[in-house]
Amino acid sequence: MSSDRHFVIVGGGLGAAKLAEALRARDFEGLVTLIGAEEHLPYERPPLSKEHLAGKKSLPEFTVDPGQWYRDHHIDVRLGTTVTGLDPAAKTVTLPDGSTLSYDKLALATGSTPRTLPVPGADAPNVYTLRTIEDSDTLIELFRSARRIVIIGAGWIGLEVAAAARAAGVEVTIVERADLPLRAVLGPEMAQVFADLHRANGVDFRFEAQVEAITTEEAIATDVANGVRLADGSTIEADAVLVAVGARPNVELAADAGLAVDDGVLVDERLATSDPDIVAVGDIAAQQHPVLGRRVRVEHWANALNQPAVAAETMLGKQAAYDRLPYFFTDQYDLGMEYTGFAAPDEYARLVVRGDTAAREFVAFWLDSDNRVLAGMNVNVWDVTDRIKELILAGEPVDPDRLADTTTKL
């Protein structure tokens, strides 16, 4: 392979760093340029709502590689730089100063952006989202001064921030449109486990609630948020508001360049986009999954960690397929959880629980109508993820009663 080839990675998160690692690990000797919008070297994001927010980890501990690694491996890192254009025909990317970089192969790892609310007061001071290290640092400072906060959204970020806030002694009210937290992800039975968990730790839920406005009060120079008003006319007072209503994939660059997009950048099993010289990984990758037999886009750490190895193979012209099952995890209060597989709430036929949900020590399995395992979630039960994977990949019917029996080995 010619050493004058130029591979460009657009993105500055875990996926981008792991792709740079994977290219060098596969003896690619050409030029590698990594272009990241943030001023920091690539870092992992889960600690922003977990260990870092809880004061247990600092940024250097979850920065993927130190600066010396990039220098030693001759990676041209350009931080604080947002690519403004992509021309697949000319095989160039445009930088903020109008200059262009030519590439032979390109990787998109542009991540996602927190969604905002189209309501009055949404852009007022004291309204926060969580995506960057600066956002997490801001929340840490907030927890030291605030007495009460409102969190809009009961997804993973909302619940993890709520757990950190409660640990810091802050009163928390969560406003959620659904009737339970995480219902769209876990279905009603397991969603109830998380509702009970947070209520036991003092969180006030407002379910089936619509936010009409983020209320404000006049401060020295401007109006600052002081709570929310719901559609039923009720108000909830707060010192700050966190909006945690999901994220949107950053597909604008790909879409403007004419790549196929639909709730993400469409990629095949090799993570190649509609342009064979461009791959996509992480939050933006809507992949045709070879095992699940469907297109999935998963906004979780495991994809950003593991997809780059396959993307690197594809960029190097080798055969590879990303066939790992979706995986994610959370830590809230005394609950640790891992989830493996994929089971849409409206697609599974039954839920089988193995263990004690009241004690929050169990494994839950989502089964289809033929009693085949679609997904599994272990809560405070460890070293079972490989067994869960085997049950899913086997694709064979199981006996639900034996599955629920803790005396029967998985």
Side-chain angles (χ1 to χ4, degrees), residues 6 23 30 39 48 52 106 142-143 158-159 181 186 208 213 228 255 280 286 292 300 308 333 369 372 378:
H6 187 196
L23 289 171
E39 297 287 351
L48 300 184
H52 182 69
L106 178 75
L142 176 68
F143 292 166
L159 295 185
L186 302 179
E208 298 181 274
V228 301
L292 299 176
H300 290 295
Y333 309 109
S369 57
R372 292 175 299 193
N378 47 302

PDB file of all heavy atoms in Angstrom, residues 6 23 30 39 48 52 106 142-143 158-159 181 186 208 213 228 255 280 286 292 300 308 333 369 372 378:
ATOM      1  N   HIS A   6      -4.040   9.340   2.017  1.00  0.00           N
ATOM      2  CA  HIS A   6      -4.487  10.207   3.093  1.00  0.00           C
ATOM      3  C   HIS A   6      -5.879   9.779   3.553  1.00  0.00           C
ATOM      4  O   HIS A   6      -6.832   9.814   2.776  1.00  0.00           O
ATOM      5  CB  HIS A   6      -4.516  11.675   2.628  1.00  0.00           C
ATOM      6  CG  HIS A   6      -4.797  12.649   3.725  1.00  0.00           C
ATOM      7  ND1 HIS A   6      -5.177  13.959   3.484  1.00  0.00           N
ATOM      8  CD2 HIS A   6      -4.764  12.521   5.078  1.00  0.00           C
ATOM      9  CE1 HIS A   6      -5.345  14.575   4.641  1.00  0.00           C
ATOM     10  NE2 HIS A   6      -5.098  13.721   5.618  1.00  0.00           N
ATOM     11  N   LEU A  23      -6.412   1.987  12.470  1.00  0.00           N
ATOM     12  CA  LEU A  23      -5.655   2.134  11.227  1.00  0.00           C
ATOM     13  C   LEU A  23      -4.164   1.873  11.453  1.00  0.00           C
ATOM     14  O   LEU A  23      -3.516   1.155  10.685  1.00  0.00           O
ATOM     15  CB  LEU A  23      -5.868   3.536  10.646  1.00  0.00           C
ATOM     16  CG  LEU A  23      -7.262   3.799  10.060  1.00  0.00           C
ATOM     17  CD1 LEU A  23      -7.420   5.277   9.716  1.00  0.00           C
ATOM     18  CD2 LEU A  23      -7.498   2.936   8.813  1.00  0.00           C
ATOM     19  N   GLY A  30       0.011   5.509   5.746  1.00  0.00           N
ATOM     20  CA  GLY A  30      -0.266   6.784   5.116  1.00  0.00           C
ATOM     21  C   GLY A  30      -0.581   7.886   6.110  1.00  0.00           C
ATOM     22  O   GLY A  30      -0.462   7.715   7.335  1.00  0.00           O
ATOM     23  N   GLU A  39     -12.231  21.289  21.842  1.00  0.00           N
ATOM     24  CA  GLU A  39     -10.850  21.681  22.082  1.00  0.00           C
ATOM     25  C   GLU A  39     -10.054  20.595  22.798  1.00  0.00           C
ATOM     26  O   GLU A  39      -8.846  20.719  22.979  1.00  0.00           O
ATOM     27  CB  GLU A  39     -10.802  22.971  22.923  1.00  0.00           C
ATOM     28  CG  GLU A  39     -11.429  24.180  22.236  1.00  0.00           C
ATOM     29  CD  GLU A  39     -10.565  24.722  21.094  1.00  0.00           C
ATOM     30  OE1 GLU A  39      -9.409  24.269  20.951  1.00  0.00           O
ATOM     31  OE2 GLU A  39     -11.057  25.594  20.349  1.00  0.00           O
ATOM     32  N   LEU A  48     -19.451  11.325  31.783  1.00  0.00           N
ATOM     33  CA  LEU A  48     -20.016  12.666  31.948  1.00  0.00           C
ATOM     34  C   LEU A  48     -21.296  12.636  32.775  1.00  0.00           C
ATOM     35  O   LEU A  48     -21.598  13.592  33.498  1.00  0.00           O
ATOM     36  CB  LEU A  48     -20.304  13.296  30.579  1.00  0.00           C
ATOM     37  CG  LEU A  48     -19.108  13.465  29.641  1.00  0.00           C
ATOM     38  CD1 LEU A  48     -19.554  14.181  28.371  1.00  0.00           C
ATOM     39  CD2 LEU A  48     -17.969  14.226  30.326  1.00  0.00           C
ATOM     40  N   HIS A  52     -17.713  10.918  36.396  1.00  0.00           N
ATOM     41  CA  HIS A  52     -17.241  12.308  36.476  1.00  0.00           C
ATOM     42  C   HIS A  52     -18.253  13.175  37.198  1.00  0.00           C
ATOM     43  O   HIS A  52     -17.887  13.989  38.059  1.00  0.00           O
ATOM     44  CB  HIS A  52     -16.978  12.864  35.075  1.00  0.00           C
ATOM     45  CG  HIS A  52     -16.454  14.271  35.084  1.00  0.00           C
ATOM     46  ND1 HIS A  52     -15.198  14.599  35.534  1.00  0.00           N
ATOM     47  CD2 HIS A  52     -17.035  15.448  34.714  1.00  0.00           C
ATOM     48  CE1 HIS A  52     -15.011  15.903  35.434  1.00  0.00           C
ATOM     49  NE2 HIS A  52     -16.109  16.447  34.945  1.00  0.00           N
ATOM     50  N   LEU A 106     -12.461   8.442   3.769  1.00  0.00           N
ATOM     51  CA  LEU A 106     -12.975   9.361   4.789  1.00  0.00           C
ATOM     52  C   LEU A 106     -13.831   8.583   5.780  1.00  0.00           C
ATOM     53  O   LEU A 106     -14.588   7.681   5.398  1.00  0.00           O
ATOM     54  CB  LEU A 106     -13.820  10.457   4.135  1.00  0.00           C
ATOM     55  CG  LEU A 106     -14.470  11.491   5.066  1.00  0.00           C
ATOM     56  CD1 LEU A 106     -13.421  12.466   5.570  1.00  0.00           C
ATOM     57  CD2 LEU A 106     -15.585  12.243   4.342  1.00  0.00           C
ATOM     58  N   LEU A 142     -23.282  23.249  39.625  1.00  0.00           N
ATOM     59  CA  LEU A 142     -24.684  23.494  39.924  1.00  0.00           C
ATOM     60  C   LEU A 142     -25.130  22.709  41.152  1.00  0.00           C
ATOM     61  O   LEU A 142     -25.843  23.232  42.023  1.00  0.00           O
ATOM     62  CB  LEU A 142     -25.547  23.109  38.718  1.00  0.00           C
ATOM     63  CG  LEU A 142     -27.064  23.225  38.890  1.00  0.00           C
ATOM     64  CD1 LEU A 142     -27.458  24.689  39.027  1.00  0.00           C
ATOM     65  CD2 LEU A 142     -27.784  22.581  37.714  1.00  0.00           C
ATOM     66  N   PHE A 143     -24.697  21.455  41.234  1.00  0.00           N
ATOM     67  CA  PHE A 143     -25.109  20.615  42.364  1.00  0.00           C
ATOM     68  C   PHE A 143     -24.596  21.166  43.692  1.00  0.00           C
ATOM     69  O   PHE A 143     -25.159  20.878  44.749  1.00  0.00           O
ATOM     70  CB  PHE A 143     -24.594  19.188  42.183  1.00  0.00           C
ATOM     71  CG  PHE A 143     -25.232  18.434  41.034  1.00  0.00           C
ATOM     72  CD1 PHE A 143     -24.676  17.258  40.571  1.00  0.00           C
ATOM     73  CD2 PHE A 143     -26.382  18.913  40.423  1.00  0.00           C
ATOM     74  CE1 PHE A 143     -25.257  16.560  39.525  1.00  0.00           C
ATOM     75  CE2 PHE A 143     -26.974  18.231  39.368  1.00  0.00           C
ATOM     76  CZ  PHE A 143     -26.403  17.047  38.923  1.00  0.00           C
ATOM     77  N   GLY A 158     -31.284  11.612  31.689  1.00  0.00           N
ATOM     78  CA  GLY A 158     -32.089  12.223  32.740  1.00  0.00           C
ATOM     79  C   GLY A 158     -32.009  11.459  34.040  1.00  0.00           C
ATOM     80  O   GLY A 158     -31.853  12.044  35.123  1.00  0.00           O
ATOM     81  N   LEU A 159     -32.091  10.141  33.971  1.00  0.00           N
ATOM     82  CA  LEU A 159     -32.067   9.328  35.187  1.00  0.00           C
ATOM     83  C   LEU A 159     -30.680   9.309  35.833  1.00  0.00           C
ATOM     84  O   LEU A 159     -30.563   9.363  37.056  1.00  0.00           O
ATOM     85  CB  LEU A 159     -32.526   7.908  34.882  1.00  0.00           C
ATOM     86  CG  LEU A 159     -33.977   7.735  34.428  1.00  0.00           C
ATOM     87  CD1 LEU A 159     -34.319   6.258  34.285  1.00  0.00           C
ATOM     88  CD2 LEU A 159     -34.957   8.404  35.388  1.00  0.00           C
ATOM     89  N   PRO A 181     -40.548   5.901  33.193  1.00  0.00           N
ATOM     90  CA  PRO A 181     -39.236   6.209  32.614  1.00  0.00           C
ATOM     91  C   PRO A 181     -38.777   5.060  31.728  1.00  0.00           C
ATOM     92  O   PRO A 181     -39.088   3.893  31.988  1.00  0.00           O
ATOM     93  CB  PRO A 181     -38.335   6.341  33.849  1.00  0.00           C
ATOM     94  CG  PRO A 181     -38.975   5.443  34.868  1.00  0.00           C
ATOM     95  CD  PRO A 181     -40.459   5.576  34.622  1.00  0.00           C
ATOM     96  N   LEU A 186     -37.366  -0.067  27.341  1.00  0.00           N
ATOM     97  CA  LEU A 186     -37.444  -1.313  28.103  1.00  0.00           C
ATOM     98  C   LEU A 186     -38.830  -1.925  28.170  1.00  0.00           C
ATOM     99  O   LEU A 186     -38.965  -3.080  28.585  1.00  0.00           O
ATOM    100  CB  LEU A 186     -36.946  -1.074  29.538  1.00  0.00           C
ATOM    101  CG  LEU A 186     -35.526  -0.544  29.694  1.00  0.00           C
ATOM    102  CD1 LEU A 186     -35.200  -0.331  31.164  1.00  0.00           C
ATOM    103  CD2 LEU A 186     -34.515  -1.488  29.057  1.00  0.00           C
ATOM    104  N   GLU A 208     -46.765  11.540  32.161  1.00  0.00           N
ATOM    105  CA  GLU A 208     -47.810  11.956  31.212  1.00  0.00           C
ATOM    106  C   GLU A 208     -48.022  13.470  31.278  1.00  0.00           C
ATOM    107  O   GLU A 208     -49.140  13.957  31.282  1.00  0.00           O
ATOM    108  CB  GLU A 208     -49.108  11.191  31.488  1.00  0.00           C
ATOM    109  CG  GLU A 208     -48.941   9.684  31.314  1.00  0.00           C
ATOM    110  CD  GLU A 208     -50.220   8.926  31.558  1.00  0.00           C
ATOM    111  OE1 GLU A 208     -50.498   8.598  32.736  1.00  0.00           O
ATOM    112  OE2 GLU A 208     -50.936   8.635  30.590  1.00  0.00           O
ATOM    113  N   ALA A 213     -43.905  25.600  29.007  1.00  0.00           N
ATOM    114  CA  ALA A 213     -42.896  26.660  28.999  1.00  0.00           C
ATOM    115  C   ALA A 213     -41.901  26.421  30.120  1.00  0.00           C
ATOM    116  O   ALA A 213     -42.210  25.777  31.128  1.00  0.00           O
ATOM    117  CB  ALA A 213     -43.541  28.027  29.176  1.00  0.00           C
ATOM    118  N   VAL A 228     -40.633  25.177  35.523  1.00  0.00           N
ATOM    119  CA  VAL A 228     -41.376  24.847  34.310  1.00  0.00           C
ATOM    120  C   VAL A 228     -42.870  24.978  34.566  1.00  0.00           C
ATOM    121  O   VAL A 228     -43.339  24.832  35.698  1.00  0.00           O
ATOM    122  CB  VAL A 228     -41.061  23.415  33.802  1.00  0.00           C
ATOM    123  CG1 VAL A 228     -39.577  23.247  33.492  1.00  0.00           C
ATOM    124  CG2 VAL A 228     -41.518  22.363  34.790  1.00  0.00           C
ATOM    125  N   ALA A 255     -25.586  14.696   4.726  1.00  0.00           N
ATOM    126  CA  ALA A 255     -26.772  14.983   3.918  1.00  0.00           C
ATOM    127  C   ALA A 255     -26.472  16.030   2.853  1.00  0.00           C
ATOM    128  O   ALA A 255     -26.868  15.879   1.680  1.00  0.00           O
ATOM    129  CB  ALA A 255     -27.916  15.451   4.820  1.00  0.00           C
ATOM    130  N   ALA A 280     -18.951   5.382   8.153  1.00  0.00           N
ATOM    131  CA  ALA A 280     -19.513   6.134   9.281  1.00  0.00           C
ATOM    132  C   ALA A 280     -19.587   5.215  10.491  1.00  0.00           C
ATOM    133  O   ALA A 280     -19.912   4.019  10.361  1.00  0.00           O
ATOM    134  CB  ALA A 280     -20.897   6.686   8.946  1.00  0.00           C
ATOM    135  N   ALA A 286     -26.446   4.387  10.937  1.00  0.00           N
ATOM    136  CA  ALA A 286     -27.676   3.584  10.867  1.00  0.00           C
ATOM    137  C   ALA A 286     -27.348   2.365  10.017  1.00  0.00           C
ATOM    138  O   ALA A 286     -27.391   2.411   8.784  1.00  0.00           O
ATOM    139  CB  ALA A 286     -28.818   4.393  10.265  1.00  0.00           C
ATOM    140  N   LEU A 292     -29.125  -9.003  13.260  1.00  0.00           N
ATOM    141  CA  LEU A 292     -30.499  -8.607  13.586  1.00  0.00           C
ATOM    142  C   LEU A 292     -31.392  -8.577  12.357  1.00  0.00           C
ATOM    143  O   LEU A 292     -32.619  -8.612  12.478  1.00  0.00           O
ATOM    144  CB  LEU A 292     -30.499  -7.240  14.269  1.00  0.00           C
ATOM    145  CG  LEU A 292     -29.730  -7.152  15.592  1.00  0.00           C
ATOM    146  CD1 LEU A 292     -29.734  -5.721  16.107  1.00  0.00           C
ATOM    147  CD2 LEU A 292     -30.328  -8.095  16.634  1.00  0.00           C
ATOM    148  N   HIS A 300     -24.850   4.486  21.737  1.00  0.00           N
ATOM    149  CA  HIS A 300     -24.212   4.007  22.957  1.00  0.00           C
ATOM    150  C   HIS A 300     -22.723   3.803  22.750  1.00  0.00           C
ATOM    151  O   HIS A 300     -22.239   3.575  21.634  1.00  0.00           O
ATOM    152  CB  HIS A 300     -24.876   2.711  23.446  1.00  0.00           C
ATOM    153  CG  HIS A 300     -26.262   2.914  23.967  1.00  0.00           C
ATOM    154  ND1 HIS A 300     -26.529   3.657  25.103  1.00  0.00           N
ATOM    155  CD2 HIS A 300     -27.460   2.508  23.498  1.00  0.00           C
ATOM    156  CE1 HIS A 300     -27.837   3.681  25.302  1.00  0.00           C
ATOM    157  NE2 HIS A 300     -28.423   2.986  24.351  1.00  0.00           N
ATOM    158  N   PRO A 308     -15.127   1.017  15.016  1.00  0.00           N
ATOM    159  CA  PRO A 308     -13.958   1.487  14.254  1.00  0.00           C
ATOM    160  C   PRO A 308     -13.048   0.387  13.717  1.00  0.00           C
ATOM    161  O   PRO A 308     -12.437   0.563  12.660  1.00  0.00           O
ATOM    162  CB  PRO A 308     -13.233   2.384  15.258  1.00  0.00           C
ATOM    163  CG  PRO A 308     -14.344   2.942  16.095  1.00  0.00           C
ATOM    164  CD  PRO A 308     -15.278   1.779  16.284  1.00  0.00           C
ATOM    165  N   TYR A 333     -27.571   4.971  41.578  1.00  0.00           N
ATOM    166  CA  TYR A 333     -27.636   4.621  43.004  1.00  0.00           C
ATOM    167  C   TYR A 333     -26.898   3.301  43.217  1.00  0.00           C
ATOM    168  O   TYR A 333     -25.736   3.196  42.845  1.00  0.00           O
ATOM    169  CB  TYR A 333     -29.093   4.558  43.486  1.00  0.00           C
ATOM    170  CG  TYR A 333     -29.913   5.772  43.133  1.00  0.00           C
ATOM    171  CD1 TYR A 333     -30.910   5.692  42.162  1.00  0.00           C
ATOM    172  CD2 TYR A 333     -29.693   7.009  43.744  1.00  0.00           C
ATOM    173  CE1 TYR A 333     -31.672   6.794  41.822  1.00  0.00           C
ATOM    174  CE2 TYR A 333     -30.448   8.124  43.415  1.00  0.00           C
ATOM    175  CZ  TYR A 333     -31.440   8.012  42.441  1.00  0.00           C
ATOM    176  OH  TYR A 333     -32.193   9.112  42.102  1.00  0.00           O
ATOM    177  N   SER A 369     -42.537 -14.354  19.916  1.00  0.00           N
ATOM    178  CA  SER A 369     -43.696 -15.246  19.996  1.00  0.00           C
ATOM    179  C   SER A 369     -43.319 -16.718  19.908  1.00  0.00           C
ATOM    180  O   SER A 369     -44.108 -17.599  20.267  1.00  0.00           O
ATOM    181  CB  SER A 369     -44.699 -14.899  18.902  1.00  0.00           C
ATOM    182  OG  SER A 369     -44.080 -14.983  17.627  1.00  0.00           O
ATOM    183  N   ARG A 372     -37.993 -17.278  21.426  1.00  0.00           N
ATOM    184  CA  ARG A 372     -36.578 -17.048  21.175  1.00  0.00           C
ATOM    185  C   ARG A 372     -36.156 -15.772  21.885  1.00  0.00           C
ATOM    186  O   ARG A 372     -36.896 -14.783  21.914  1.00  0.00           O
ATOM    187  CB  ARG A 372     -36.318 -16.936  19.675  1.00  0.00           C
ATOM    188  CG  ARG A 372     -36.530 -18.248  18.915  1.00  0.00           C
ATOM    189  CD  ARG A 372     -36.383 -18.075  17.430  1.00  0.00           C
ATOM    190  NE  ARG A 372     -37.369 -17.128  16.885  1.00  0.00           N
ATOM    191  CZ  ARG A 372     -37.617 -16.980  15.600  1.00  0.00           C
ATOM    192  NH1 ARG A 372     -36.954 -17.696  14.706  1.00  0.00           N
ATOM    193  NH2 ARG A 372     -38.516 -16.102  15.184  1.00  0.00           N
ATOM    194  N   ASN A 378     -29.124  -7.732  32.664  1.00  0.00           N
ATOM    195  CA  ASN A 378     -28.728  -8.188  33.999  1.00  0.00           C
ATOM    196  C   ASN A 378     -28.576  -6.990  34.927  1.00  0.00           C
ATOM    197  O   ASN A 378     -27.912  -6.018  34.617  1.00  0.00           O
ATOM    198  CB  ASN A 378     -27.433  -9.004  33.952  1.00  0.00           C
ATOM    199  CG  ASN A 378     -26.325  -8.385  33.135  1.00  0.00           C
ATOM    200  OD1 ASN A 378     -26.492  -8.131  31.944  1.00  0.00           O
ATOM    201  ND2 ASN A 378     -25.188  -8.154  33.773  1.00  0.00           N
TER     202      ASN A 378
END
